[in-house]
Amino acid sequence: PVTPGELLCLGSSLAFSGLFYYLYRKKARVVACIQEAPKLQVDDELPAVVSATDGRCLPYVALEGKETLHIFFSLPSHYHEGLQGVIQKLLLKEHRLIWNSLARSW
């Protein structure tokens, strides 16, 4: 005989496993998009490439060139001596008002 406590533990274990698998697959898709990101050179043609895309935005792209500026510091390569790179993080946060019917506020 199976006790209700065992059923509860089994159900919660399955629910957490499903949740973590969903999060894993979601992050794996993002990693695949980043790995397939096109490599573009920083030159005079870059604004034309960006304006030709849908929404004038490239979701993931690797920029190469000497005109790339670092904000804080450049990162030296561990595999190739004399190679340096930069990471710039851009976060676009859109604020919108949503009516909360429970608290009756925006």
Side-chain angles (χ1 to χ4, degrees), residues 6 12 16-17 21 33 39 42-43 73 76 82 90 92 97 99 102 105:
E6 291 173 339
S12 64
F16 280 122
S17 295
Y21 182 71
C33 288
K39 293 182 181 179
V42 177
D43 55 7
F73 55 89
L90 174 68
L92 176 66
L97 296 175
W99 177 254
L102 184 62
S105 66

Side-chain angles (χ1 to χ4, degrees), residues 30-103:
V30 171
V31 168
C33 288
I34 291 173
Q35 288 177 343
E36 295 171 359
K39 293 182 181 179
L40 300 176
Q41 294 292 326
V42 177
D43 55 7
D44 296 334
E45 297 176 7
L46 185 60
V49 171
V50 173
S51 63
T53 59
D54 186 32
R56 296 179 50 195
C57 178
L58 297 169
Y60 296 106
V61 66
L63 292 178
E64 297 176 340
K66 294 187 177 195
E67 297 173 13
T68 305
L69 299 175
H70 58 84
I71 295 175
F72 297 111
F73 55 89
S74 58
L75 302 171
S77 174
H78 295 288
Y79 305 107
H80 301 286
E81 197 167 317
L83 221 72
Q84 293 184 345
V86 295
I87 295 177
Q88 181 178 357
K89 184 176 181 179
L90 174 68
L91 176 66
L92 176 66
K93 193 171 191 179
E94 183 176 324
H95 296 281
R96 63 179 181 169
L97 296 175
I98 300 175
W99 177 254
N100 185 348
S101 62
L102 184 62

